[in-house]
Amino acid sequence: MKHIFIKGTDPSAPTLVLFHGTGGTERDLLPLASIISPPSSILSLRGNVSENGMPRFFKRLAEGVFDEEDLLLRTEEVHTFLDEAALQYGFERNNMIAIGYSNGANIAGSLLFHYDNALRGAILHHPMVPRRGVDLPDMTGMPVFIGAGSNDPICAPHETEELRGLLEGAGAEVRLHWERFGHQLTAQEVDAAAAWFKEHVVD
């Protein structure tokens, strides 16, 4: 997968894995990583799917309607890539925190839904429920931050609450942060994620 790796200053800090939103690139979330955990190494991915020229991490059938077959295929693709990248760049595979926005948050969520220990934790900005009717892996104690907009036209508040319930039902420790905005990612939301990270992820 097309990606950027930036080696951090503290090898014990979690490696941040960045997943952009629809139409983004592997450079979009680099500023977030520097705010959330400055000493961390960064692995930032570009989605392998193109929708009218816009990079995405998996196909969709319509707005808010996922192509589940492609979602499963792409989730496996990302999972395999993370295994390979950990070996290539020499960081700990079990110490990775995802930061995803919109479509990127959905592929990160799908990793949590489909693989044991795919991630140590996740920061999900404006995610949806990746799949329904599946048994989730054991996520006991896993820290997850969800940033959401109370006026988000793409991800309605009830879907955000549903996702929190599913993750907590699998044992994750979820912090749900609301902003009075839509689908955009605000500076206040990023600051809240950074404060949460320092409290719940950094040893």
Side-chain angles (χ1 to χ4, degrees):
M1 299 185 70
K2 190 170 179 61
H3 67 281
I4 294 171
F5 180 76
I6 302 171
K7 188 173 180 60
T9 57
D10 181 358
S12 68
T15 296
L16 304 182
V17 188
L18 311 184
F19 300 94
H20 62 76
T22 298
T25 74
E26 64 277 18
R27 296 194 174 276
D28 282 15
L29 300 186
L30 293 178
L32 272 68
S34 65
I35 293 169
I36 289 168
S37 182
S40 286
S41 293
I42 299 168
L43 179 66
S44 189
L45 281 58
R46 181 186 294 189
N48 274 348
V49 170
S50 177
E51 181 182 273
N52 300 319
M54 298 185 298
R56 280 177 56 87
F57 286 97
F58 59 89
K59 296 176 184 176
R60 58 183 171 183
L61 305 177
E63 183 75 71
V65 182
F66 300 165
D67 181 330
E68 286 202 5
E69 183 178 351
D70 191 65
L71 174 63
L72 291 172
L73 173 69
R74 301 300 176 178
T75 303
E76 181 181 12
E77 177 182 69
V78 170
H79 188 263
T80 300
F81 176 77
L82 296 182
D83 289 344
E84 294 169 348
L87 290 173
Q88 178 181 354
Y89 294 113
F91 58 82
E92 288 188 43
R93 177 63 183 85
N94 63 355
N95 194 19
M96 306 173 81
I97 301 287
I99 303 176
Y101 167 61
S102 193
N103 178 245
N106 294 334
I107 194 73
S110 186
L111 283 168
L112 298 180
F113 269 47
H114 294 108
Y115 291 96
D116 280 310
N117 304 313
L119 298 164
R120 180 182 157 194
I123 295 174
L124 307 176
H125 294 290
H126 301 259
M128 298 175 69
V129 176
R131 286 184 79 206
R132 292 176 171 87
V134 295
D135 292 329
L136 302 190
D138 182 5
M139 301 182 203
T140 299
M142 179 184 291
V144 178
F145 176 96
I146 298 176
S150 58
N151 297 302
D152 192 332
I154 296 173
C155 180
H158 68 81
E159 176 138 7
T160 302
E161 294 285 3
E162 181 185 356
L163 177 59
R164 173 169 69 171
L166 290 169
L167 291 171
E168 288 181 341
E173 296 179 359
V174 181
R175 167 76 60 83
L176 177 51
H177 174 82
W178 290 100
E179 292 283 339
R180 292 184 179 180
F181 296 102
H183 199 62
Q184 69 266 39
L185 180 52
T186 67
Q188 295 95 321
E189 188 176 321
V190 174
D191 288 343
W196 168 88
F197 185 91
K198 288 171 185 170
E199 182 181 353
H200 293 279
V201 178
V202 178
D203 294 328

